[in-house]
Amino acid sequence: MLQSTFVARFLFLLAVVSIVIAAPIPRGLRNARSMIARDDSDSDTASNSNSGSDWDSESGSSSNTDNTSVDSGSNSTSGVAFAADSSIDVAAILQSVESATSNPVSDANYGTGHDSNKAQIYELDMDSSAGRSVYAVEADMDVDCDGTDYQCQGNDDGQSETSYGALSAKRVPFYVLPQSFVDQHNIKGNSLGAIICNNKMFYAIMGDTNGDSPEVIGEASWLMARTCFPNDDLDGAKGHDQSDVTYIIFGSLVPGGINEDSPTIDVDSLQELGDKTMKEFKLSS
């Protein structure tokens, strides 16, 4: 009697275990398991993908708060939120601008801060919707850290504000023009610029002016400079000295999403206006 009872209980437990083993895993648990596995396998990739993101304002380490990442590859604009669309023929634009030297702007021949190098600004005759006040200049690229990151490395004479607010030089791509040129030609603050460097094109705003005596040209924010020359370790005391950077200035076009009380801008609006403008870019024959 006891033996038969034991056998019956054993068979019942065996049947329960078989049912449990054969039951399917609930979808929620199955998804959770796959997510964990994917996270584990991708952890190194995710870490590497952030290695070229925004640089921290104090330590130079990377963060990814504003989608304005610096790509470490010398021939790629992948991941840079203010880069020109890949469909835009940058080489053709550069060639047309470099040959447009028939309209030099008077009294707009500025030093670059490097020996006796000079940079002449030219006015471009546009056959597009870019409007008037379109200029181009080929210059170097020194680092401007004015604004909320004025204490960046090597920036001994930085100012806590830019000419048009409290921009962050490490979070906003901006370029700099001489104050006299801005005043004489009514260049709007924060106006659009297309910057061609290393055969790549990026968009920026005219976020600061240079009022030194004598005035110089060829400056850009920390973020812009490091994006153009990611392998050169540029800072407030070390710029790109060669005058091989082309600045195309759209003095009457200003992207939306700019608040002078904010250290950041709407980079999507900047890229949208930049792509629209450069896809229609054409010089008058």
Side-chain angles (χ1 to χ4, degrees):
M1 182 71 176
L2 290 175
Q3 183 176 3
S4 62
T5 301
F6 175 80
V7 171
R9 290 181 178 178
F10 175 79
L11 292 175
F12 174 78
L13 290 174
L14 182 63
V16 171
V17 170
S18 299
I19 293 173
V20 171
I21 294 174
I25 299 174
R27 178 174 297 180
L29 292 178
R30 190 165 63 242
N31 290 344
R33 178 184 296 177
S34 66
M35 289 176 66
I36 293 171
R38 185 167 60 250
D39 287 345
D40 288 342
S41 64
D42 290 346
S43 60
D44 291 340
T45 302
S47 176
N48 291 337
S49 68
N50 287 332
S51 63
S53 58
D54 287 354
W55 296 81
D56 183 80
S57 60
E58 296 298 328
S59 64
S61 60
S62 61
S63 62
N64 197 24
T65 57
D66 296 295
N67 196 30
T68 50
S69 58
V70 177
D71 190 281
S72 60
S74 60
N75 295 316
S76 174
T77 60
S78 175
V80 180
F82 48 92
D85 187 88
S86 59
S87 65
I88 297 174
D89 192 340
V90 176
I93 291 173
L94 180 60
Q95 183 178 12
S96 66
V97 170
E98 287 180 339
S99 63
T101 58
S102 59
N103 294 321
V105 178
S106 61
D107 298 324
N109 191 19
Y110 297 97
T112 64
H114 301 286
D115 299 326
S116 59
N117 293 350
K118 292 283 188 176
Q120 173 66 52
I121 299 179
Y122 296 89
E123 185 171 8
L124 302 180
D125 291 328
M126 300 300 301
D127 185 18
S128 70
S129 61
R132 299 179 179 179
S133 302
V134 182
Y135 304 90
V137 61
E138 188 173 66
D140 63 328
M141 185 173 281
D142 290 325
V143 177
D144 182 336
C145 280
D146 286 351
T148 59
D149 297 306
Y150 72 98
Q151 293 180 323
C152 82
Q153 182 176 347
N155 194 48
D156 297 333
D157 59 349
Q159 303 178 45
S160 60
E161 292 187 351
T162 59
S163 296
Y164 306 105
L167 296 176
S168 166
K170 294 191 176 183
R171 300 165 71 184
V172 176
F174 66 78
Y175 64 102
V176 182
L177 290 178
Q179 184 68 58
S180 63
F181 180 79
V182 171
D183 294 340
Q184 292 169 11
H185 299 278
N186 298 315
I187 306 298
K188 292 183 178 180
N190 302 313
S191 54
L192 173 69
I195 315 300
I196 301 177
C197 51
N198 273 337
N199 298 313
K200 302 182 291 290
M201 185 162 68
F202 304 98
Y203 304 123
I205 60 170
M206 199 275 290
D208 203 5
T209 59
N210 180 280
D212 294 343
S213 181
E215 293 173 312
V216 297
I217 199 168
E219 294 179 284
S221 67
W222 196 92
L223 175 63
M224 186 75 253
R226 288 239 176 175
T227 302
C228 277
F229 305 101
N231 300 317
D232 291 356
D233 195 28
L234 303 183
D235 59 30
K238 179 185 177 184
H240 177 78
D241 296 348
Q242 291 76 25
S243 292
D244 56 4
V245 180
T246 298
Y247 301 79
I248 307 175
I249 303 153
F250 299 91
S252 61
L253 300 182
V254 179
I258 298 176
N259 183 338
E260 292 190 0
D261 294 327
S262 172
T264 62
I265 65 172
D266 185 343
V267 178
D268 290 339
S269 292
L270 170 63
Q271 185 183 45
E272 181 180 357
L273 178 61
D275 281 342
K276 178 180 184 299
T277 302
M278 298 314 295
K279 286 178 179 179
E280 299 173 352
F281 185 88
K282 184 178 180 182
L283 299 182
S284 300
S285 56

